[in-house]
Amino acid sequence: MKRFILLFTSLCSVNFSFSQANLVIEAPLNDNTGGINRGPNGTAAHAFLRGCYLVTQSELVNIPIGTSLTSFGFTMSAGATGAAASGNFTVYLQNTADVTYQKGTNWSTAITSMTTAFASVMTVPLSPGVTTSVAVVLSTPVTYTGGGLYVAYDWASAGPYNTTAANYLGETTTFPLPAGG
C-alpha cells in the first residue's frame, strides 16, 4: 500500500523507506503570489489566526483514492526574522464532493464536521529571504476519498514574536479570497 503526504502549498519530492512511497503533493499549486496572511506569520499581529480552505479534486489528482494523508504544511517565500515564534496549532481536514467553497465564515460551523488531524505546537521558521517549508506530522491521519479536501487551521501564540513576518506562497488565480475559503 502506498502512503502519501499532503503538504499544502509545499515542495514536491519523493522519498522511499520501508518499501512505501512517501510523496509530497503541492496543493493547491503555487502561482508565485505571496502573502503574510495565508498562515501564521509569527508576528504579534498574528497572535491568533484561523483559516479554512477548499483544495479541489483537480488539485489532488496525484493522490489515489484510499491514501492515508499523514502530513500538512506550508511553503514560505521568506521565513520570519527575529525570535522563533511558536504557538498552538490545530489542523482540521474533511473529504468533500464540493467544487466551490461552501463552509461559510463562521468558524464553529466550518469545523463542525471536520476531523482534528493535528493539535500541538508549531514553530514559524526563521529563514529571511530563503524559501522554506514547515510541516507537521498528523496525529490522526485522514483517508483521502477522491474528491476535494477542506483544510482548516487554528493558531494561537503568546510570543515571543518575530520582527518580520513570514511570507507564504499560495494560489490566488483560480479561487481568489473570500470565495476560495
Side-chain angles (χ1 to χ4, degrees):
M1 169 184 265
K2 290 186 178 180
R3 199 174 52 148
F4 289 77
I5 300 172
L6 173 68
L7 195 54
F8 189 72
T9 59
S10 146
L11 305 172
C12 292
S13 66
V14 178
N15 178 15
F16 294 96
S17 77
F18 304 110
S19 300
Q20 292 182 340
N22 293 322
L23 297 179
V24 177
I25 305 297
E26 179 182 0
L29 294 175
N30 164 32
D31 67 3
N32 291 316
T33 57
I36 62 171
N37 295 320
R38 291 195 169 120
N41 68 21
T43 66
H46 276 194
F48 176 80
L49 182 69
R50 290 176 169 162
C52 188
Y53 303 91
L54 171 65
V55 183
T56 63
Q57 179 180 11
S58 63
E59 296 170 307
L60 302 172
V61 295
N62 294 325
I63 303 175
I65 295 170
T67 297
S68 179
L69 306 177
T70 60
S71 181
F72 170 86
F74 299 100
T75 297
M76 295 158 226
S77 60
T81 62
S86 295
N88 294 319
F89 188 65
T90 305
V91 175
Y92 305 87
L93 297 173
Q94 178 186 11
N95 287 287
T96 184
D98 293 352
V99 295
T100 60
Y101 184 81
Q102 301 294 316
K103 289 283 191 179
T105 57
N106 180 296
W107 179 253
S108 298
T109 303
I111 64 167
T112 297
S113 55
M114 299 180 82
T115 298
T116 302
F118 178 85
S120 191
V121 174
M122 182 185 88
T123 301
V124 177
L126 297 176
S127 57
V130 177
T131 299
T132 189
S133 291
V134 60
V136 297
V137 175
L138 302 179
S139 51
T140 305
V142 171
T143 301
Y144 177 64
T145 61
L149 190 66
Y150 279 108
V151 178
Y153 63 83
D154 188 0
W155 161 267
S157 175
Y161 299 109
N162 300 331
T163 54
T164 303
N167 190 10
Y168 289 84
L169 293 175
E171 188 275 324
T172 57
T173 306
T174 305
F175 299 108
L177 295 176

